[in-house]
Amino acid sequence: MFKDLEIVLQTQHIVKQFKTSKNQMLVACNDINLTAYKGKTLGIVGESGCGKSTFVRLLTQLETPTSGKILYHDKDIVHFSKKEAWLNRQNIQMVFQDPMASFNPKMKIIDILTEPLLNFKRIKRSEKETKAKELLEMVELPADFMYRYPHSMSGGQRQRISLARALSLEPEVLICDEATSALDVSIQRNIIQLLVRLQKEKNITIIFICHDLALISSFSHQIAVMYLGHIVEVIPGEKIKDGAKHPYTRALIDSQFSVHLSQDKQIKALDGEVPSPLDIPQGCPFQSRCKYCKEECRKEKPVLKEVGVGHQVACQYSK
Ligand SMILES: Nc1ncnc2c1ncn2[C@@H]1O[C@H](COP(=O)(O)OP(=O)(O)OP(=O)(O)O)[C@@H](O)[C@H]1O
Ligand SMILES: [Mg+2]
């Protein structure tokens, strides 16, 4: 899509299957081919359970794909040794929805912030205070916060700490999995503004997962729309509102342009049942909810096809 930009991370035919307790095979990611570019944001949207977190857990090596390649600057990280995978954590960092879950509540902010730097021997113990001050400044928090514990901070402040900790190692790629979803709208906006500023300053590649299409399109350079483990559309962020072509993306947009999708709040504009990821139908994964579904759609699975610059759609009837 960005012809002159360096490709930082690329997945090729990534598949992830899980075996359930009843010995059934659940396909969480189904032939995913996505590219993240230097200094740009790739947004990923889709309903609950469509495989977004599984996909980024593969990128951060928290899970191993069943098949496919994950190229970080042409190096396939899937087959990295333990040592190489550990070293690669410095390049690809992740921020989660609930910072408390990734912090040790007994640690002060100064220790939370500098732990990764000490682990990788990037600073000396005597430099902890100076570094913590610098990191707090970067995320616009006062320096004396370094002596606090995470429980004495607000959700938004804690998420800034997560961000500072993730960026402390100066990663090339930052992955945010619903990093702002638990925050109220104005705090969410502040964190996004901060992310956008830091991206410009440090030329970071961001992969941002979110349920809110309006929010994600406000700052993503490209958006991948996921449905039942498949990528059904990839589109430049600024084009999504008027240019989206896949019936699923259109339904997401039409239902409301700012929607929080979850299993209990289904998309109003869509009828039909969501198939189980344990039993993905032959043909198009979206067939049971698509008002344009034809006989061919039940037979053949559509592949992503180029329909414009940086725009791909997996639907036989999207031109
Ligand atoms: N370790 C696992 N074992 C078995 N199934 C799993 C495992 N991890 C995820 N899944 C299943 O894979 C599918 C995709 O889950 P995933 O967490 O990636 O979805 P998601 O798009 O991130 O959803 P949400 O928006 O709710 O966070 C779901 O059906 C989930 O139950
Ligand atoms: Mg998730």
Side-chain angles (χ1 to χ4, degrees):
M1 172 181 175
F2 304 101
K3 261 197 293 180
D4 304 324
L5 279 185
E6 194 181 346
I7 292 175
V8 175
L9 201 57
Q10 187 170 55
T11 65
Q12 294 180 350
H13 306 292
I14 280 294
V15 174
K16 178 64 184 176
Q17 299 174 335
F18 292 110
K19 215 178 212 163
T20 66
S21 50
K22 289 181 184 157
N23 241 1
Q24 289 169 296
M25 207 51 99
L26 183 151
V27 189
C29 295
N30 201 322
D31 194 21
I32 298 195
N33 300 287
L34 285 176
T35 303
Y37 295 88
K38 182 86 184 166
K40 299 287 174 192
T41 300
L42 165 65
I44 303 180
V45 285
E47 283 163 288
S48 183
C50 71
K52 305 177 298 293
S53 295
T54 303
F55 178 67
V56 291
R57 286 172 65 81
L58 296 170
L59 302 181
T60 45
Q61 295 169 284
L62 293 169
E63 301 271 4
T64 312
T66 308
S67 59
K69 289 183 178 177
I70 300 173
L71 303 177
Y72 174 66
H73 290 287
D74 295 333
K75 261 196 210 155
D76 188 356
I77 65 174
V78 173
H79 303 293
F80 268 5
S81 65
K82 268 198 176 147
K83 175 92 189 282
E84 285 173 316
W86 179 72
L87 286 172
N88 198 43
R89 273 199 226 154
Q90 298 174 91
N91 302 321
I92 306 175
Q93 280 283 307
M94 183 138 146
V95 176
F96 299 91
Q97 179 169 354
D98 176 13
M100 278 310 258
S102 49
F103 294 165
N104 177 344
K106 291 188 183 139
M107 276 167 80
K108 284 191 179 149
I109 298 301
I110 181 171
D111 297 312
I112 290 174
L113 286 176
T114 52
E115 190 186 37
L117 290 160
L118 288 168
N119 282 345
F120 284 104
K121 298 195 172 32
R122 301 262 289 258
I123 57 165
K124 296 193 201 94
R125 293 209 161 263
S126 58
E127 292 167 333
K128 270 170 60 173
E129 274 199 8
T130 316
K131 194 66 200 181
K133 184 169 181 284
E134 187 190 301
L135 289 168
L136 286 165
E137 236 165 58
M138 176 181 81
V139 294
E140 297 156 4
L141 287 176
D144 61 0
F145 270 42
M146 74 174 88
Y147 305 110
R148 290 198 189 192
Y149 288 95
H151 65 81
S152 63
M153 301 175 81
S154 72
Q157 289 166 343
R158 278 200 287 265
Q159 206 48 297
R160 283 173 190 260
I161 299 292
S162 296
L163 197 54
R165 182 180 149 106
L167 294 181
S168 68
L169 294 166
E170 299 180 330
E172 197 173 13
V173 183
L174 179 73
I175 299 178
C176 302
D177 187 358
E178 313 264 9
T180 62
S181 304
L183 305 171
D184 75 46
V185 178
S186 63
I187 308 285
Q188 201 172 47
R189 202 176 312 123
N190 292 343
I191 301 263
I192 301 290
Q193 280 166 356
L194 173 65
L195 262 181
V196 170
R197 171 173 73 75
L198 293 172
Q199 177 175 51
K200 283 193 186 132
E201 281 172 21
K202 298 172 189 291
N203 211 13
I204 313 168
T205 300
I206 297 178
I207 299 179
F208 196 94
I209 291 183
C210 179
H211 284 145
D212 190 327
L213 203 49
L215 180 76
I216 211 164
S217 66
S218 67
F219 66 96
S220 291
H221 301 94
Q222 47 169 352
I223 295 175
V225 182
M226 205 166 174
Y227 186 80
L228 257 190
H230 299 74
I231 299 296
V232 296
E233 184 155 13
V234 180
I235 183 166
E238 79 273 6
K239 278 202 183 159
I240 190 135
K241 204 169 172 187
D242 302 316
K245 289 185 185 290
H246 195 283
Y248 176 60
T249 319
R250 289 263 38 117
L252 285 182
I253 292 164
D254 293 346
S255 59
Q256 40 182 303
F257 198 55
S258 177
V259 64
H260 288 273
L261 305 167
S262 67
Q263 267 151 354
D264 52 330
K265 277 189 226 161
Q266 301 227 327
I267 312 161
K268 289 192 198 80
L270 286 171
D271 292 327
E273 274 188 38
V274 191
S276 157
L278 288 167
D279 187 21
I280 297 174
Q282 189 194 345
C284 178
F286 190 56
Q287 59 183 270
S288 62
R289 299 168 87 190
C290 183
K291 58 183 175 187
Y292 308 107
C293 179
K294 300 203 169 90
E295 200 43 45
E296 299 90 278
C297 306
R298 298 187 202 281
K299 290 185 191 145
E300 210 178 310
K301 187 180 281 187
V303 291
L304 278 175
K305 280 199 194 118
E306 203 83 29
V307 292
V309 180
H311 190 180
Q312 298 168 300
V313 187
C315 174
Q316 308 200 39
Y317 299 99
S318 300
K319 295 269 164 359

